[in-house]
PDB file of all heavy atoms in Angstrom:
ATOM      1  N   ILE N 207      15.910  16.902 -17.560  1.00 81.00           N
ATOM      2  CA  ILE N 207      15.754  16.405 -16.135  1.00 81.00           C
ATOM      3  C   ILE N 207      16.764  17.254 -15.274  1.00 81.00           C
ATOM      4  O   ILE N 207      16.361  17.570 -14.102  1.00 81.00           O
ATOM      5  CB  ILE N 207      16.044  14.895 -16.058  1.00 81.00           C
ATOM      6  CG1 ILE N 207      15.084  14.168 -16.948  1.00 81.00           C
ATOM      7  CG2 ILE N 207      15.921  14.475 -14.597  1.00 81.00           C
ATOM      8  CD1 ILE N 207      13.622  14.095 -16.619  1.00 81.00           C
ATOM      9  N   LYS N 208      17.859  17.605 -15.785  1.00 83.00           N
ATOM     10  CA  LYS N 208      18.798  18.275 -14.990  1.00 83.00           C
ATOM     11  C   LYS N 208      18.201  19.769 -14.627  1.00 83.00           C
ATOM     12  O   LYS N 208      18.348  20.109 -13.415  1.00 83.00           O
ATOM     13  CB  LYS N 208      20.093  18.567 -15.870  1.00 83.00           C
ATOM     14  CG  LYS N 208      21.177  19.329 -15.123  1.00 83.00           C
ATOM     15  CD  LYS N 208      22.269  19.518 -16.076  1.00 83.00           C
ATOM     16  CE  LYS N 208      22.867  20.910 -15.993  1.00 83.00           C
ATOM     17  NZ  LYS N 208      23.898  21.186 -17.082  1.00 83.00           N
ATOM     18  N   LEU N 209      17.495  20.346 -15.449  1.00 80.00           N
ATOM     19  CA  LEU N 209      16.785  21.566 -15.238  1.00 80.00           C
ATOM     20  C   LEU N 209      15.721  21.361 -14.224  1.00 80.00           C
ATOM     21  O   LEU N 209      15.517  22.221 -13.335  1.00 80.00           O
ATOM     22  CB  LEU N 209      16.343  22.192 -16.566  1.00 80.00           C
ATOM     23  CG  LEU N 209      17.186  23.375 -16.979  1.00 80.00           C
ATOM     24  CD1 LEU N 209      17.839  23.062 -18.297  1.00 80.00           C
ATOM     25  CD2 LEU N 209      16.471  24.644 -16.975  1.00 80.00           C
ATOM     26  N   THR N 210      14.992  20.325 -14.351  1.00 78.00           N
ATOM     27  CA  THR N 210      13.976  20.033 -13.400  1.00 78.00           C
ATOM     28  C   THR N 210      14.585  19.805 -11.980  1.00 78.00           C
ATOM     29  O   THR N 210      14.056  20.406 -10.996  1.00 78.00           O
ATOM     30  CB  THR N 210      13.194  18.728 -13.724  1.00 78.00           C
ATOM     31  OG1 THR N 210      12.950  18.663 -15.168  1.00 78.00           O
ATOM     32  CG2 THR N 210      11.976  18.551 -12.992  1.00 78.00           C
ATOM     33  N   ILE N 211      15.678  19.144 -11.996  1.00 81.00           N
ATOM     34  CA  ILE N 211      16.329  18.886 -10.716  1.00 81.00           C
ATOM     35  C   ILE N 211      16.821  20.243 -10.122  1.00 81.00           C
ATOM     36  O   ILE N 211      16.518  20.518  -8.891  1.00 81.00           O
ATOM     37  CB  ILE N 211      17.557  17.963 -10.816  1.00 81.00           C
ATOM     38  CG1 ILE N 211      16.997  16.528 -11.141  1.00 81.00           C
ATOM     39  CG2 ILE N 211      18.368  17.922  -9.519  1.00 81.00           C
ATOM     40  CD1 ILE N 211      18.032  15.557 -11.554  1.00 81.00           C
ATOM     41  N   SER N 212      17.356  21.088 -10.899  1.00 82.00           N
ATOM     42  CA  SER N 212      17.935  22.314 -10.286  1.00 82.00           C
ATOM     43  C   SER N 212      16.690  23.181  -9.857  1.00 82.00           C
ATOM     44  O   SER N 212      16.813  23.919  -8.837  1.00 82.00           O
ATOM     45  CB  SER N 212      18.835  23.055 -11.226  1.00 82.00           C
ATOM     46  OG  SER N 212      18.163  23.561 -12.350  1.00 82.00           O
ATOM     47  N   ALA N 213      15.597  23.195 -10.570  1.00 78.00           N
ATOM     48  CA  ALA N 213      14.437  23.933 -10.169  1.00 78.00           C
ATOM     49  C   ALA N 213      13.854  23.449  -8.860  1.00 78.00           C
ATOM     50  O   ALA N 213      13.213  24.146  -8.096  1.00 78.00           O
ATOM     51  CB  ALA N 213      13.301  23.868 -11.209  1.00 78.00           C
ATOM     52  N   ARG N 214      14.071  22.132  -8.569  1.00 79.00           N
ATOM     53  CA  ARG N 214      13.505  21.596  -7.331  1.00 79.00           C
ATOM     54  C   ARG N 214      14.611  21.235  -6.254  1.00 79.00           C
ATOM     55  O   ARG N 214      14.446  20.449  -5.457  1.00 79.00           O
ATOM     56  CB  ARG N 214      12.723  20.291  -7.761  1.00 79.00           C
ATOM     57  CG  ARG N 214      11.534  20.584  -8.556  1.00 79.00           C
ATOM     58  CD  ARG N 214      10.857  19.368  -8.945  1.00 79.00           C
ATOM     59  NE  ARG N 214      10.350  18.608  -7.782  1.00 79.00           N
ATOM     60  CZ  ARG N 214       9.948  17.401  -7.857  1.00 79.00           C
ATOM     61  NH1 ARG N 214       9.822  16.773  -8.950  1.00 79.00           N
ATOM     62  NH2 ARG N 214       9.530  16.723  -6.819  1.00 79.00           N
ATOM     63  N   ARG N 215      15.804  21.852  -6.405  1.00 84.00           N
ATOM     64  CA  ARG N 215      16.797  21.628  -5.467  1.00 84.00           C
ATOM     65  C   ARG N 215      16.457  21.773  -4.078  1.00 84.00           C
ATOM     66  O   ARG N 215      16.764  20.997  -3.142  1.00 84.00           O
ATOM     67  CB  ARG N 215      18.057  22.520  -5.851  1.00 84.00           C
ATOM     68  CG  ARG N 215      19.363  21.888  -5.542  1.00 84.00           C
ATOM     69  CD  ARG N 215      20.491  22.528  -6.280  1.00 84.00           C
ATOM     70  NE  ARG N 215      20.779  21.882  -7.574  1.00 84.00           N
ATOM     71  CZ  ARG N 215      21.469  20.730  -7.626  1.00 84.00           C
ATOM     72  NH1 ARG N 215      21.794  20.116  -6.461  1.00 84.00           N
ATOM     73  NH2 ARG N 215      21.676  20.160  -8.782  1.00 84.00           N
ATOM     74  N   ARG N 216      15.751  22.858  -3.776  1.00 87.00           N
ATOM     75  CA  ARG N 216      15.328  23.170  -2.449  1.00 87.00           C
ATOM     76  C   ARG N 216      14.396  22.120  -1.873  1.00 87.00           C
ATOM     77  O   ARG N 216      14.585  21.615  -0.681  1.00 87.00           O
ATOM     78  CB  ARG N 216      14.539  24.560  -2.423  1.00 87.00           C
ATOM     79  CG  ARG N 216      14.250  25.128  -1.094  1.00 87.00           C
ATOM     80  CD  ARG N 216      13.516  26.366  -1.206  1.00 87.00           C
ATOM     81  NE  ARG N 216      13.299  27.047   0.082  1.00 87.00           N
ATOM     82  CZ  ARG N 216      14.121  27.857   0.665  1.00 87.00           C
ATOM     83  NH1 ARG N 216      15.266  28.182   0.033  1.00 87.00           N
ATOM     84  NH2 ARG N 216      13.876  28.338   1.840  1.00 87.00           N
ATOM     85  N   GLU N 217      13.459  21.740  -2.739  1.00 86.00           N
ATOM     86  CA  GLU N 217      12.538  20.658  -2.338  1.00 86.00           C
ATOM     87  C   GLU N 217      13.246  19.329  -2.018  1.00 86.00           C
ATOM     88  O   GLU N 217      12.963  18.706  -1.043  1.00 86.00           O
ATOM     89  CB  GLU N 217      11.550  20.484  -3.477  1.00 86.00           C
ATOM     90  CG  GLU N 217      10.264  19.819  -3.068  1.00 86.00           C
ATOM     91  CD  GLU N 217       9.344  19.743  -4.284  1.00 86.00           C
ATOM     92  OE1 GLU N 217       9.336  20.693  -5.107  1.00 86.00           O
ATOM     93  OE2 GLU N 217       8.657  18.687  -4.492  1.00 86.00           O
ATOM     94  N   ILE N 218      14.215  18.993  -2.885  1.00 87.00           N
ATOM     95  CA  ILE N 218      15.054  17.780  -2.754  1.00 87.00           C
ATOM     96  C   ILE N 218      15.785  17.844  -1.393  1.00 87.00           C
ATOM     97  O   ILE N 218      15.893  16.824  -0.715  1.00 87.00           O
ATOM     98  CB  ILE N 218      15.916  17.542  -3.959  1.00 87.00           C
ATOM     99  CG1 ILE N 218      15.068  17.353  -5.249  1.00 87.00           C
ATOM    100  CG2 ILE N 218      16.865  16.344  -3.731  1.00 87.00           C
ATOM    101  CD1 ILE N 218      15.793  17.408  -6.555  1.00 87.00           C
ATOM    102  N   GLY N 219      16.373  18.992  -1.179  1.00 89.00           N
ATOM    103  CA  GLY N 219      17.163  19.178   0.062  1.00 89.00           C
ATOM    104  C   GLY N 219      16.230  18.959   1.271  1.00 89.00           C
ATOM    105  O   GLY N 219      16.699  18.279   2.261  1.00 89.00           O
ATOM    106  N   ILE N 220      15.052  19.512   1.271  1.00 92.00           N
ATOM    107  CA  ILE N 220      14.123  19.221   2.414  1.00 92.00           C
ATOM    108  C   ILE N 220      13.710  17.756   2.516  1.00 92.00           C
ATOM    109  O   ILE N 220      13.684  17.199   3.531  1.00 92.00           O
ATOM    110  CB  ILE N 220      12.882  20.138   2.250  1.00 92.00           C
ATOM    111  CG1 ILE N 220      13.295  21.629   2.342  1.00 92.00           C
ATOM    112  CG2 ILE N 220      11.871  19.821   3.393  1.00 92.00           C
ATOM    113  CD1 ILE N 220      12.268  22.577   1.962  1.00 92.00           C
ATOM    114  N   MET N 221      13.433  17.206   1.307  1.00 91.00           N
ATOM    115  CA  MET N 221      13.105  15.762   1.236  1.00 91.00           C
ATOM    116  C   MET N 221      14.174  14.906   1.936  1.00 91.00           C
ATOM    117  O   MET N 221      13.856  13.974   2.806  1.00 91.00           O
ATOM    118  CB  MET N 221      12.952  15.286  -0.155  1.00 91.00           C
ATOM    119  CG  MET N 221      11.634  15.633  -0.802  1.00 91.00           C
ATOM    120  SD  MET N 221      11.618  15.272  -2.570  1.00 91.00           S
ATOM    121  CE  MET N 221      10.801  13.731  -2.570  1.00 91.00           C
ATOM    122  N   ARG N 222      15.404  15.300   1.676  1.00 90.00           N
ATOM    123  CA  ARG N 222      16.543  14.543   2.310  1.00 90.00           C
ATOM    124  C   ARG N 222      16.558  14.689   3.799  1.00 90.00           C
ATOM    125  O   ARG N 222      16.766  13.763   4.568  1.00 90.00           O
ATOM    126  CB  ARG N 222      17.896  14.941   1.780  1.00 90.00           C
ATOM    127  CG  ARG N 222      18.225  14.514   0.393  1.00 90.00           C
ATOM    128  CD  ARG N 222      19.641  14.488   0.259  1.00 90.00           C
ATOM    129  NE  ARG N 222      20.005  13.883  -1.049  1.00 90.00           N
ATOM    130  CZ  ARG N 222      20.676  14.452  -1.994  1.00 90.00           C
ATOM    131  NH1 ARG N 222      21.153  15.625  -1.731  1.00 90.00           N
ATOM    132  NH2 ARG N 222      21.038  13.843  -3.101  1.00 90.00           N
ATOM    133  N   LEU N 223      16.273  15.923   4.209  1.00 91.00           N
ATOM    134  CA  LEU N 223      16.341  16.237   5.736  1.00 91.00           C
ATOM    135  C   LEU N 223      15.218  15.531   6.434  1.00 91.00           C
ATOM    136  O   LEU N 223      15.464  15.088   7.522  1.00 91.00           O
ATOM    137  CB  LEU N 223      16.166  17.712   5.939  1.00 91.00           C
ATOM    138  CG  LEU N 223      17.372  18.629   5.590  1.00 91.00           C
ATOM    139  CD1 LEU N 223      17.025  20.039   5.854  1.00 91.00           C
ATOM    140  CD2 LEU N 223      18.574  18.195   6.461  1.00 91.00           C
ATOM    141  N   VAL N 224      14.109  15.381   5.824  1.00 92.00           N
ATOM    142  CA  VAL N 224      12.922  14.770   6.586  1.00 92.00           C
ATOM    143  C   VAL N 224      12.927  13.162   6.440  1.00 92.00           C
ATOM    144  O   VAL N 224      11.996  12.565   6.869  1.00 92.00           O
ATOM    145  CB  VAL N 224      11.538  15.360   6.118  1.00 92.00           C
ATOM    146  CG1 VAL N 224      11.507  16.790   6.516  1.00 92.00           C
ATOM    147  CG2 VAL N 224      11.257  15.112   4.676  1.00 92.00           C
ATOM    148  N   GLY N 225      13.970  12.683   5.705  1.00 92.00           N
ATOM    149  CA  GLY N 225      14.047  11.258   5.706  1.00 92.00           C
ATOM    150  C   GLY N 225      13.400  10.507   4.599  1.00 92.00           C
ATOM    151  O   GLY N 225      12.982   9.418   4.651  1.00 92.00           O
ATOM    152  N   ALA N 226      13.319  11.248   3.400  1.00 91.00           N
ATOM    153  CA  ALA N 226      12.794  10.511   2.170  1.00 91.00           C
ATOM    154  C   ALA N 226      13.925   9.610   1.777  1.00 91.00           C
ATOM    155  O   ALA N 226      15.059   9.954   1.757  1.00 91.00           O
ATOM    156  CB  ALA N 226      12.451  11.527   1.196  1.00 91.00           C
TER     157      ALA N 226
END
Side-chain angles (χ1 to χ4, degrees):
Chain N
I207 305 291
K208 181 181 140 189
L209 256 116
T210 314
I211 290 172
S212 68
R214 293 178 61 190
R215 210 161 265 287
R216 191 183 183 87
E217 200 179 322
I218 294 163
I220 297 168
M221 282 171 95
R222 282 202 175 127
L223 285 178
V224 298

